[in-house]
Amino acid sequence: KNEVEQSPQNLTAQEGEFITINCSYSVGISALHWLQQHPGGGIVSLFMLSSGKKKHGRLIATINIQEKHSSLHITASHPRDSAVYICAVPYSGGGADGLTFGKGTHLIIQP
Amino acid sequence: GAVVSQHPSWVICKSGTSVKIECRSLDFQATTMFWYRQFPKQSLMLMATSNEGSKATYEQGVEKDKFLINHASLTLSTLTVTSAHPEDSSFYICSARGLAGAQQYFGPGTRLTVT
């Protein structure tokens, strides 16, 4: 089973700051997911990436397959970015698998 | 596109009763659906993998006779929690994967409280 480690677990920052959340995993994967969970529990898929870098608005996700590491960056952070950010990878590494999740990073952006 | 719905969004039931949760892919065909649960302050955990027309595959520690999964069509999977106990109180989330690719689309979740 793939093991996922995320850091930091909690992060409080001021509006406008550049945010970085890190994720490492133990087993080679087909793709890694970054998810956002709001207080009500609903989950939004932010990125699925298997190599390099993806950008969507103020969010950037990068992955280094050799080092089994990914980062999620938020530029010009805003209070509405406050949420739990979760890294997830296939359970055994393959694309057909269910996901195993990191414990999440609880992000608070203060105005 | 790629919307997944769950029903109900929350449910309260008495201990010993059964509860059915539906997961639907609204605008795509989902060959595979996954069921996850999340206890307070904990990570999401995979419970089972459901493929249309075949029996679900359960993760270690998940009782298949207690958590009945049916994936009768390419747009609907159901999870029935039988003889619910207070320790089954949790947040249950499904995800669906389409015919191509590894992208999973998540439902909004169902919060189950067993009293």
Side-chain angles (χ1 to χ4, degrees):
Chain A
K1 178 192 165 186
N2 224 328
E3 301 289 338
V4 182
E5 294 286 338
Q6 259 186 260
S7 63
Q9 287 190 30
N10 296 284
L11 179 57
T12 300
Q14 295 297 122
E15 183 173 356
E17 286 189 39
F18 182 80
I19 304 298
T20 295
I21 300 169
N22 294 300
C23 174
S24 60
Y25 53 92
S26 59
V27 175
I29 58 171
S30 54
L32 177 144
H33 302 252
W34 279 104
L35 311 169
Q36 182 190 56
Q37 185 171 32
H38 281 281
I43 289 181
V44 174
S45 181
L46 299 175
F47 295 103
M48 184 181 77
L49 68 166
S50 53
S51 65
K53 176 177 167 180
K54 283 191 176 181
K55 184 175 189 293
H56 185 210
R58 294 180 295 104
L59 300 177
I60 303 166
T62 63
I63 189 167
N64 184 317
I65 294 292
Q66 287 73 30
E67 294 187 3
K68 297 187 179 67
H69 181 270
S70 176
S71 294
L72 176 69
H73 306 285
I74 305 175
T75 62
S77 59
H78 190 275
R80 64 175 174 266
D81 297 325
S82 299
V84 178
Y85 292 84
I86 303 170
C87 167
V89 298
Y91 205 69
S92 302
D97 291 346
L99 300 176
T100 186
F101 300 81
K103 292 184 178 178
T105 295
H106 188 187
L107 175 65
I108 298 173
I109 304 296
Q110 295 178 333
Chain B
V3 177
V4 176
S5 70
Q6 271 184 251
H7 179 81
S9 55
W10 60 270
V11 57
I12 301 172
C13 71
K14 290 188 184 298
S15 188
T17 61
S18 295
V19 174
K20 181 185 283 189
I21 302 169
E22 292 186 349
C23 176
R24 292 183 186 271
S25 56
L26 297 185
D27 51 3
F28 68 102
Q29 293 183 321
T31 51
T32 304
M33 288 185 173
F34 302 94
W35 287 96
Y36 302 93
R37 65 181 167 186
Q38 184 179 35
F39 293 108
K41 309 281 187 193
Q42 295 191 24
S43 308
L44 288 129
M45 297 286 288
L46 177 65
M47 297 177 68
T49 300
S50 164
N51 290 297
E52 186 264 337
S54 60
K55 288 185 178 180
T57 304
Y58 291 81
E59 296 304 309
Q60 193 172 10
V62 178
E63 299 173 58
K64 64 180 181 181
D65 295 329
K66 180 170 183 62
F67 297 98
L68 301 179
I69 292 173
N70 185 284
H71 191 163
S73 78
L74 285 171
T75 59
L76 174 65
S77 176
T78 59
L79 169 68
T80 301
V81 183
T82 62
S83 188
H85 289 139
E87 55 265 33
D88 298 324
S89 299
S90 187
F91 189 60
Y92 293 87
I93 302 179
C94 72
S95 71
R97 191 179 66 217
L99 296 174
Q103 180 71 58
Q104 292 187 31
Y105 302 96
F106 289 85
T110 296
R111 191 162 300 282
L112 169 64
T113 301
V114 184
T115 61

